[in-house]
Amino acid sequence: MRYFIYLSYDGTNYHGWQIQPNGNSVQAELNRAVSILNGEPTEVTGAGRTDAGVNASMMVAHFDSTVLDNTECNQITHKLNRILPRDIAVSKVAAVTDDAHARFSATSRTYQYHIHTERNPFQNHYSYMPPFPLDFNAMNEAARHLFDYTDFTSFSKLHTDVKTNNCRIMKAEWEQTSETTWVFTIQADRFLRNMVRAIVGTLLDVGRGAISIEQFCRIIEQKDRCSAGTSVPGNALFLTGVDYPTHLFQ
């Protein structure tokens, strides 16, 4: 039987989601926990790859088991949480169809990037404070132009193994959550490596007046990562949602 695991994690202590040869990863910890529960080496497949230091308030992964077929999903959830470290938490486990795939069956993914504009020691861990004032109206106007494009090579990490850099963006918007805090929410059918952090970094260039909205559009059209802005720190980025067709769930 195939299961989806819904989990969250603090990415501070991990070299990203994917297993790394020289550092611990969220996937490695989840593999270890599921293998103990399954009674044999078991590999989980995630909905995507988050970079080093990036967090997730909702990630999805799948695994297969013949051992757990008669085990209630809430029992699997409880047992996994007893094995996993405290910075990884499973919220639920769901039985799915045999062809359901955490990565390839997903119809969209949502990320949020957090910014604070006033010095605050309690926000530094999960939010980023730019060292310059920002025009969020201009940043939102620039963000709306993301809907006009599908090729986001300019915001992709170089030398990746993907076959296409095309993505369909469904939402891209800055929202003010308090007098000094803002959140950028972006939803798409897929994301490229480093894409959200590069988009945010380039939008910050618009917000501080370093580039115009027209230049922002030209950067996308150039399909050149070197022309885009610097990637923002990963600690303020969260994967917040992954959507699937309802027919996958048993």
Side-chain angles (χ1 to χ4, degrees):
M1 182 174 287
R2 178 159 290 185
Y3 295 91
F4 272 11
I5 303 173
Y6 287 78
L7 67 147
S8 57
Y9 53 84
D10 181 336
T12 303
N13 296 321
Y14 300 100
H15 291 254
W17 162 264
Q18 192 174 22
I19 290 177
Q20 303 291 329
N22 300 314
N24 197 18
S25 69
V26 180
Q27 185 183 29
E29 289 291 347
L30 201 58
N31 281 353
R32 180 183 66 85
V34 172
S35 296
I36 292 172
L37 201 60
N38 220 14
E40 61 183 12
T42 306
E43 184 170 335
V44 301
T45 300
R49 304 172 182 176
T50 54
D51 295 334
V54 174
N55 313 289
S57 58
M58 202 270 268
M59 166 66 97
V60 182
H62 79 252
F63 73 97
D64 295 321
S65 175
T66 57
V67 177
L68 302 174
D69 285 1
N70 296 319
T71 307
E72 293 289 337
C73 287
N74 60 352
Q75 293 182 24
I76 300 174
T77 300
H78 177 70
K79 291 177 180 179
L80 285 174
N81 281 327
R82 293 185 64 182
I83 300 169
L84 288 164
R86 292 173 63 86
D87 51 8
I88 302 175
V90 175
S91 58
K92 72 174 181 178
V93 174
V96 294
T97 59
D98 290 340
D99 61 343
H101 195 285
R103 179 183 175 188
F104 297 123
S105 298
T107 56
S108 73
R109 298 156 178 83
T110 303
Y111 283 88
Q112 289 188 328
Y113 197 85
H114 295 257
I115 278 181
H116 58 286
T117 58
E118 185 177 280
R119 189 177 177 91
N120 187 326
F122 303 107
Q123 290 180 317
N124 290 335
H125 194 66
Y126 299 114
S127 180
Y128 171 59
M129 181 180 168
F132 36 71
L134 293 168
D135 181 347
F136 285 93
N137 289 328
M139 290 158 62
N140 260 333
E141 186 176 346
R144 284 191 286 271
H145 286 279
L146 291 168
F147 302 122
D148 300 332
Y149 300 92
T150 55
D151 189 327
F152 293 100
T153 301
S154 293
F155 300 129
S156 173
K157 186 175 182 178
L158 299 175
H159 311 302
T160 61
D161 56 358
V162 298
K163 296 180 180 179
T164 176
N165 287 334
N166 287 356
C167 309
R168 182 170 62 90
I169 292 182
M170 307 164 184
K171 181 176 183 177
E173 182 181 16
W174 289 94
E175 294 179 279
Q176 187 170 13
T177 53
S178 78
E179 288 187 7
T180 60
T181 58
W182 292 76
V183 175
F184 178 63
T185 302
I186 183 166
Q187 181 184 27
D189 59 346
R190 62 190 291 265
F191 286 94
L192 308 173
R193 293 282 303 278
N194 201 52
M195 179 174 165
V196 179
R197 292 165 62 196
I199 287 176
V200 173
T202 311
L203 287 173
L204 293 187
D205 285 345
V206 173
R208 67 188 179 99
I211 62 173
S212 65
I213 294 171
E214 292 73 19
Q215 288 173 309
F216 178 81
C217 294
R218 284 201 292 272
I219 286 171
I220 301 174
E221 293 163 2
Q222 287 171 5
K223 302 177 184 179
D224 178 9
R225 177 65 186 92
C226 296
S227 66
T230 303
S231 295
V232 287
N235 65 291
L237 179 61
F238 287 76
L239 173 63
T240 62
V242 188
D243 295 318
Y244 297 94
T246 55
H247 72 264
L248 298 179
F249 299 90
Q250 297 189 10

